Amino acid sequence: YKGGEYVLKGFSLHTETEEVMVHYEDLEGESYSRPAEMFFGRVIYDGKLVDRFEDLNCYYNKHQISW
């Protein structure tokens, strides 16, 4: 929702809480992790409820954009 592009790298299980974690990287290679519930959740942005992350493959396919 903020405009950054990231690559989903994988999933893991938090060793203490057993919460599913999502691991992803920005295009510069900086790595991040956040709980899956948060990663796939929605946020209020500019007064609207939006997905925190959008699958660009779906976007590109929907708009028939190719690389």
Side-chain angles (χ1 to χ4, degrees):
Y1 71 94
K2 293 181 182 177
E5 292 188 23
Y6 301 90
V7 177
L8 182 67
K9 302 302 281 185
F11 300 90
S12 67
L13 205 56
H14 191 286
T15 57
E16 306 262 334
T17 65
E18 296 189 356
E19 185 174 24
V20 176
M21 303 294 290
V22 176
H23 307 286
Y24 57 104
E25 281 184 3
D26 63 21
L27 299 181
E28 288 77 39
E30 187 76 25
S31 296
Y32 304 93
S33 295
R34 71 172 61 224
E37 186 173 323
M38 184 183 290
F39 185 88
F40 293 110
R42 304 188 85 192
V43 296
I44 296 175
Y45 182 74
D46 210 14
K48 299 176 187 171
L49 188 61
V50 297
D51 293 333
R52 184 179 297 274
F53 293 97
E54 178 180 8
D55 183 347
L56 291 181
N57 286 323
C58 292
Y59 176 85
Y60 292 134
N61 291 337
K62 178 180 176 183
H63 297 282
Q64 299 179 345
I65 298 170
S66 60
W67 295 95

